[in-house]
Amino acid sequence: MEKILVLEDEPDILGMVQYNLERAGFEVRTAEDGETGLELVRSESPSLLILDLMLPGIDGLDVCKSLKSDAATKDLPVLMLTARKDEVDRILGFELGADDYVVKPFSPRELILRVRAILRRAGGEADETEADIQYGGLRISRTAHQVWIDEKPLALTATEFKLLTTLIDRKGRVQTREDLLDTVWGYEYAGYGRTVDTHVRRLREKLGPLSSMIETVRGVGYRFSGIEET
Ligand code: CA
């Protein structure tokens, strides 16, 4: 059974989230402040952290930053809860940010959908025989789930990695936001195009001078246009 840690200071929301996760078959641990949450991440090794942005003491972004800057916890997927849609860019735009978010109020169904999608991405099975892919200074190892630029490791979230490899797998072909949502996020519904745009923007920031390999096709979507080195 996969263990999920929920860090939320509002008892009603905490209760609702815990109830629905348990009903969906997850083991749940809870904390109501950042410090306790960070301790539990280390002692309980959860598969996923559901993290409220606004917490007393250390806030959600600082919790996230602390986890992502520690080698032992940097791969823990984080689903952020936020009360305001205008905070979304701040959550995802932050370099060491969350993997995904939901805006309050959210339905239990939406939450469970997101949780399952993140866990699926984080646990993505790699083909152990697959060779690294190289595009100019960009090297990608699917087996190691690692990307390098000029042999310097790049810190990508599980979502960004999946987004990049999906675009590469379909290089030269335009991918609509819906295509990418479907493959990368596993959503069954439209209306989350902004999620794609925000993640592409953050991925480009990390790719720096190589970001032009991901082209924007106006009004349609995105296309990977790097030239593979063999
Ligand atoms: Ca709160």
Side-chain angles (χ1 to χ4, degrees):
M1 199 190 290
E2 286 196 277
K3 198 191 288 178
I4 297 178
L5 175 63
V6 186
L7 182 42
E8 163 67 82
D9 63 310
E10 287 153 78
D12 289 355
I13 298 176
L14 183 60
M16 182 275 251
V17 170
Q18 178 170 15
Y19 171 77
N20 284 286
L21 287 172
E22 284 174 349
R23 224 174 58 132
F26 296 103
E27 195 181 336
V28 180
R29 296 286 182 278
T30 62
E32 296 181 20
D33 66 87
E35 272 162 30
T36 313
L38 284 170
E39 277 166 30
L40 284 178
V41 166
R42 286 169 178 108
S43 62
E44 297 279 335
S45 306
S47 307
L48 171 72
L49 172 63
I50 297 180
L51 175 60
D52 184 35
L53 181 63
M54 300 294 283
L55 291 167
I58 317 172
D59 86 349
L61 273 187
D62 287 334
V63 169
C64 204
K65 192 153 83 175
S66 166
L67 294 172
K68 299 287 177 182
S69 62
D70 180 343
T73 53
K74 74 175 174 57
D75 294 325
L76 173 66
V78 176
L79 174 64
M80 195 81 92
L81 305 179
T82 172
R84 288 162 44 195
K85 236 183 172 125
D86 58 11
E87 288 171 337
V88 165
D89 280 349
R90 192 157 73 89
I91 293 169
L92 296 176
F94 187 62
E95 194 199 353
L96 301 169
D99 291 87
D100 206 351
Y101 63 91
V102 279
V103 178
K104 298 173 185 175
F106 50 84
S107 70
R109 183 181 173 278
E110 182 184 9
L111 179 78
I112 300 298
L113 202 71
R114 298 285 182 114
V115 164
R116 292 218 165 101
I118 291 181
L119 290 172
R120 202 164 49 234
R121 292 202 296 277
E125 294 299 309
D127 178 351
E128 294 297 327
T129 62
E130 221 161 345
D132 290 2
I133 329 168
Q134 182 96 37
Y135 289 92
L138 182 69
R139 181 160 70 88
I140 297 129
S141 165
R142 291 178 201 266
T143 50
H145 259 248
Q146 180 64 56
V147 175
W148 297 263
I149 288 183
D150 297 330
E151 298 309 313
K152 212 176 135 230
L154 201 61
L156 297 186
T157 64
T159 305
E160 290 162 352
F161 185 84
K162 176 88 177 171
L163 177 61
L164 178 62
T165 52
T166 299
L167 285 165
I168 287 174
D169 288 341
R170 300 165 183 185
K171 69 178 170 190
R173 282 180 285 156
V174 183
Q175 298 304 303
T176 65
R177 291 171 179 82
E178 288 72 27
D179 292 336
L180 292 168
L181 273 175
D182 188 46
T183 308
V184 179
W185 281 263
Y187 294 167
E188 300 152 333
Y189 51 91
Y192 279 89
R194 195 164 161 213
T195 299
V196 177
D197 295 339
T198 309
H199 277 86
V200 167
R201 189 166 69 240
R202 190 169 64 167
L203 178 58
R204 277 179 172 151
E205 279 166 16
K206 292 186 178 181
L207 291 173
L210 302 179
S211 62
S212 56
M213 287 184 186
I214 301 174
E215 285 181 282
T216 301
V217 182
R218 275 182 81 92
V220 188
Y222 299 98
R223 175 170 58 204
F224 187 82
S225 60
I227 295 163
E228 190 167 6
E229 294 185 3
T230 50

